[in-house]
Amino acid sequence: MNLPDMKKAKVRGEEVIGYYENENVTSKQFQGKKYFIRTYGCQMNVHDSEEICAAVENLGFSKVEVLEEADLAILNTCAIRENAHDKVYGYLGRLKHLKREKPELMIAIGGCMPQQENVTEELMKKHPYVDIVFGTHNINELSKMILEHVKKQEIEVYSIEGNVYENVLYKRDSSITAWVNIMYGCDKFCTYCIVPYTRGRQRSRKMDDILKEVQSLKNQGYMEVTLLGQNVNAYGKDLENPISFAVLLEQVALIGIPRVRFVTSHPWDFTDEMIDIISKYDNIMPYIHLPLQSGSSRILKLMGRRYTKEEYLTLFQKMKEQIPNVAITTDIIVGFPGETEDDFFDTLDVVKQCQYDGAFTFIFSPREGTPASKMKDELSLSIKEERLHRLNELVNASSNLKNQAYVGKVVDVLIQGVSEKDQNKVFGYTETMKLVNVIADKDTIGTIIPVRITDAKSFSLDGEAEYSKNN
């Protein structure tokens, strides 16, 4: 993608080049106004939305859950798969209809989609009622964009990876668990992945800044932090004085926050040092998301994944042997260009050997601008769907078996809220990231309690608190 070296803003057709300062704009100009936000995509997008919410609330907006009540509608978009695009464009149709009824409605589109080549131009051509377009690298400028738009200036923003900003304000969705960005972007350039083109090259935060944020969260009473990055275990390689993710992980654990997690890992960067640190500290949760993508070494090479089937299995086995009670989940792509039945059999073979706790499975979705989008794809959709069905049957059988093994056991569960399906229950997660709906008092929310598992379902567990709450 050929992006400019500086951020560009088009104001009423006149191009203005420059940078906004990284400052938290506070104005009560929009006191009494309401905003609605819809988030698509990964955990990174969810965390970006926490920053977006803080920015607009600093302007006086208050959040609503009903679109029709909003004065400002924000879509925080994803570019990973085609269906994510389709969902955004479908929702824009709803916004177009609403704006006819409510002309003063301000519409903002952010996230990864606008940072794909030509997408912003397409958005503004097909959806001229959109008022503001911004990317993942200039969320810090959103407040000023909104203030500028009030002066009837339409702003379109394009950006490449920029500086790593500190002292960012977030309106966190939870007072119990928190996301902590440790890095931005990715340098792996897997041939199917759009992330390096939308979020840019890898930029790691300084360790001291990360530790200060985690310490602050601990002081505020947070029970869990998740270290977040496109490839967390590559953390620190780009710093002036390189540092390993294992070192950072240990320093975070030493702060003493009850639970520490991290996502997402790349097998190529997962070191023995990391395994040692995870197994050493009880507050580093024994849960690892380790994307496989394919079990075929030939397809893995076409994907640019940098490891073979055998190397992945060796790493997996090492984790199982050295990290007590570890639960491992994965991502798998079906129908990558050139995938044969033998290649797919290799994927099934890995799944049988690994017996994953869960897996996110997808049919290959070509993203324009990636090398894989130019590869010859001769597989029919029906074959891809049939393979996905066979894969899911195997994954679900393994996941169900793992869940059934919890029945009768007493496990620690961090209670995070009232269950959506049963208001008389609360819900939380085990150390191994199993969702549990629990019969327990609501005052256990925000605490870690022992829970006896009474039943196992396909994607969750049921349980009863052994005690009303921790003392």
Side-chain angles (χ1 to χ4, degrees), residues 259-275:
R259 289 188 171 188
V260 178
R261 301 188 187 275
F262 56 90
V263 288
T264 291
S265 296
H266 191 297
W268 194 77
D269 289 308
F270 217 110
T271 63
D272 290 346
E273 184 185 16
M274 281 181 60
I275 294 174

Side-chain angles (χ1 to χ4, degrees), residues 413 418-422 425-428 434-439 451 453-454 457 460-464:
V413 177
V418 177
S419 174
E420 289 185 4
K421 294 184 178 180
D422 188 341
K425 294 182 180 180
V426 293
F427 79 92
K434 302 288 185 182
L435 171 63
V436 189
N437 291 299
V438 186
I439 298 173
V451 173
I453 303 303
T454 58
K457 300 178 180 178
S460 66
L461 306 171
D462 288 340
E464 298 178 354

Side-chain angles (χ1 to χ4, degrees), residues 16-244:
V16 180
I17 302 178
Y19 287 96
Y20 286 128
E21 294 296 324
N22 176 45
E23 57 183 86
N24 299 311
V25 178
T26 301
S27 165
K28 295 306 174 185
Q29 182 170 341
F30 298 96
Q31 195 75 44
K33 298 289 186 180
K34 300 173 182 178
Y35 78 98
F36 171 89
I37 185 167
R38 188 176 181 88
T39 305
Y40 302 83
C42 67
Q43 300 98 327
M44 192 75 76
N45 283 42
V46 172
H47 191 38
D48 284 347
S49 286
E50 292 182 334
E51 183 179 352
I52 291 168
C53 290
V56 298
E57 290 190 14
N58 259 6
L59 296 176
F61 287 95
S62 58
K63 188 177 182 181
V64 293
E65 301 299 329
V66 179
L67 171 62
E68 286 72 18
E69 297 176 2
D71 302 288
L72 167 64
I74 307 167
L75 300 186
N76 186 13
T77 66
C78 173
I80 294 295
R81 279 172 288 279
E82 187 175 1
N83 65 345
H85 271 212
D86 294 342
K87 288 178 181 179
V88 171
Y89 285 126
Y91 208 82
L92 278 171
R94 182 179 174 185
L95 288 172
K96 179 180 181 180
H97 177 75
L98 182 60
K99 190 149 186 173
R100 285 173 180 167
E101 300 176 350
K102 194 175 182 179
E104 70 278 8
L105 175 68
M106 196 185 312
I107 299 173
I109 308 294
C112 293
M113 264 182 65
Q115 293 179 181
Q116 286 184 267
E117 195 166 13
N118 301 323
V119 167
T120 296
E121 292 89 336
E122 179 186 351
L123 271 172
M124 299 309 293
K125 182 178 180 180
K126 294 183 178 180
H127 307 277
Y129 51 89
V130 172
D131 301 293
I132 295 172
V133 180
F134 63 100
T136 61
H137 312 312
N138 55 335
I139 295 173
N140 61 298
E141 299 174 5
L142 179 58
S143 299
K144 290 189 176 182
M145 293 181 203
I146 293 171
L147 290 169
E148 289 295 311
H149 177 70
V150 173
K151 301 173 185 175
K152 306 302 181 186
Q153 295 173 323
E154 293 187 357
I155 301 175
E156 304 171 18
V157 175
Y158 307 75
S159 67
I160 58 171
E161 62 264 20
N163 297 323
V164 174
Y165 295 116
E166 295 299 338
N167 303 314
V168 174
L169 292 180
Y170 295 106
K171 187 200 175 189
R172 298 190 185 271
D173 288 337
S174 170
S175 59
I176 301 166
T177 65
W179 305 105
V180 176
N181 272 118
I182 66 170
M183 60 193 295
Y184 304 90
C186 183
D187 282 350
K188 281 294 177 284
F189 287 92
C190 299
T191 59
Y192 55 83
C193 186
I194 197 70
V195 167
Y197 305 97
T198 57
R199 287 189 174 266
R201 300 294 295 269
Q202 176 174 317
R203 291 103 61 213
S204 299
R205 294 177 63 192
K206 294 179 180 177
M207 186 170 72
D208 286 349
D209 292 323
I210 297 168
L211 297 180
K212 286 177 185 176
E213 183 174 351
V214 175
Q215 182 65 60
S216 174
L217 290 166
K218 179 177 184 289
N219 295 344
Q220 294 172 57
Y222 278 82
M223 299 293 288
E224 176 181 296
V225 296
T226 299
L227 307 181
L228 191 61
Q230 300 298 151
N231 175 20
V232 289
N233 41 356
Y235 168 81
K237 292 183 177 182
D238 57 308
L239 293 173
E240 185 176 350
N241 297 308
I243 187 171
S244 72

Side-chain angles (χ1 to χ4, degrees), residues 399-416:
S399 179
N400 286 337
L401 194 64
K402 291 295 179 78
N403 282 356
Q404 290 293 336
Y406 280 80
V407 176
K409 292 183 178 180
V410 176
V411 293
D412 286 341
V413 177
L414 173 56
I415 305 299
Q416 297 185 26

